[in-house]
C-alpha cells in the first residue's frame, strides 16, 4: 500500500465500561499493556447499570499519529480469523463518514490477547483524516487489514 493510499486517522476514541466487581486498576493496566493506551489518559464518570449496580464509564482520546499506531497495533495483534472477519465485513465496522469501529474482548485483553467481541467490549472509534475520495476508504481499510500479517 502506497503512502498516499495509507489509512490515516485524525483521532481515536477508546471507551469501556467497568463494573463494580472488576478490579479497575487491573483492567486499565491490561488495556495499557495490550494497546499502549496509558491508564492515566482515561477519564470517567460513575453511572448506574441496568439493574442499579454501579459502573464506571471510561474514555480516552488518542490523537492522529498515535491513533494510526493504535490501529496498526490492534490489527497486528488480531488472529487471522478476526482480520478476515473485518476484511469480509468492513461495511459493518464503519459508517457513512468513514469512521471505523472496533470492539475488543475486555476479558481477553486482561489475559494479554487481542480479539474481536460483541459484548463486554473495549470500544474504539477511529476517525479518518477526511479526503476527497471517501468512497475509497473501505478499500483502504481492507488494504490495511491484508497488509499486516
Amino acid at each position: 500500500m502506497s503512502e498516499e493510499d495509507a489509512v490515516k486517522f485524525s483521532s481515536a476514541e477508546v471507551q469501556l465500561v467497568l463494573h463494580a466487581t472488576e478490579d479497575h486498576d487491573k483492567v486499565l493496566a491490561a488495556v495499557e499493556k495490550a494497546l499502549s493506551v496509558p491508564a492515566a489518559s482515561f477519564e470517567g464518570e460513575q453511572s448506574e447499570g441496568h439493574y442499579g449496580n454501579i459502573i464506571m464509564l471510561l474514555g480516552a482520546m488518542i490523537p492522529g499519529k498515535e491513533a494510526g499506531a493504535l490501529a496498526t497495533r490492534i490489527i497486528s495483534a488480531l488472529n487471522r480469523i478476526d482480520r478476515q472477519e473485518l476484511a469480509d465485513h468492513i461495511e459493518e465496522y464503519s459508517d457513512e463518514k468513514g469512521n471505523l469501529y472496533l470492539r475488543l474482548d475486555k476479558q481477553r485483553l486482561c489475559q494479554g490477547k487481542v480479539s474481536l467481541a460483541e459484548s463486554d467490549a473495549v470500544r474504539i472509534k477511529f476517525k479518518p483524516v477526511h479526503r476527497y475520495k471517501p468512497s475509497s476508504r473501505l478499500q483502504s481499510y481492507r488494504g490495511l487489514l491484508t497488509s499486516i500479517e
Side-chain angles (χ1 to χ4, degrees):
M1 184 183 319
S2 73
E3 180 69 27
E4 187 175 305
D5 295 331
V7 178
K8 293 187 175 133
F9 297 102
S10 62
S11 66
E13 189 175 327
V14 182
Q15 297 180 327
L16 66 141
V17 175
L18 292 175
H19 300 274
T21 56
E22 294 177 305
D23 183 334
H24 295 195
D25 292 334
K26 180 180 176 185
V27 173
L28 287 176
V31 168
E32 182 170 2
K33 184 175 181 184
L35 305 180
S36 297
V37 176
S41 64
F42 284 91
E43 295 181 1
E45 62 183 54
Q46 187 170 308
S47 189
E48 190 173 300
H50 184 68
Y51 297 104
N53 51 322
I54 294 174
I55 58 174
M56 286 294 296
L57 306 172
L58 298 177
M61 290 300 293
I62 312 299
K65 287 190 184 224
E66 292 174 40
L70 175 60
T72 301
R73 194 174 307 111
I74 290 169
I75 291 167
S76 297
L78 290 172
N79 65 34
R80 186 177 48 78
I81 294 168
D82 279 346
R83 279 198 306 270
Q84 191 63 50
E85 161 68 18
L86 280 171
D88 290 347
H89 303 283
I90 196 67
E91 301 83 10
E92 297 170 27
Y93 292 92
S94 59
D95 64 17
E96 68 282 349
K97 294 180 181 176
N99 295 315
L100 178 65
Y101 297 88
L102 298 179
R103 292 174 180 262
L104 304 177
D105 188 311
K106 184 170 57 173
Q107 299 306 318
R108 300 228 350 129
L109 277 177
C110 289
Q111 299 167 356
K113 297 182 173 88
V114 178
S115 62
L116 298 178
E118 288 299 316
S119 60
D120 197 24
V122 175
R123 297 182 308 266
I124 306 169
K125 175 183 178 181
F126 291 96
K127 295 181 182 180
V129 171
H130 291 290
R131 297 190 178 157
Y132 295 111
K133 298 180 188 175
S135 61
S136 66
R137 194 159 286 124
L138 293 181
Q139 194 59 35
S140 295
Y141 290 157
R142 281 191 186 94
L144 176 65
L145 291 165
T146 58
S147 69
I148 299 173
E149 289 300 326

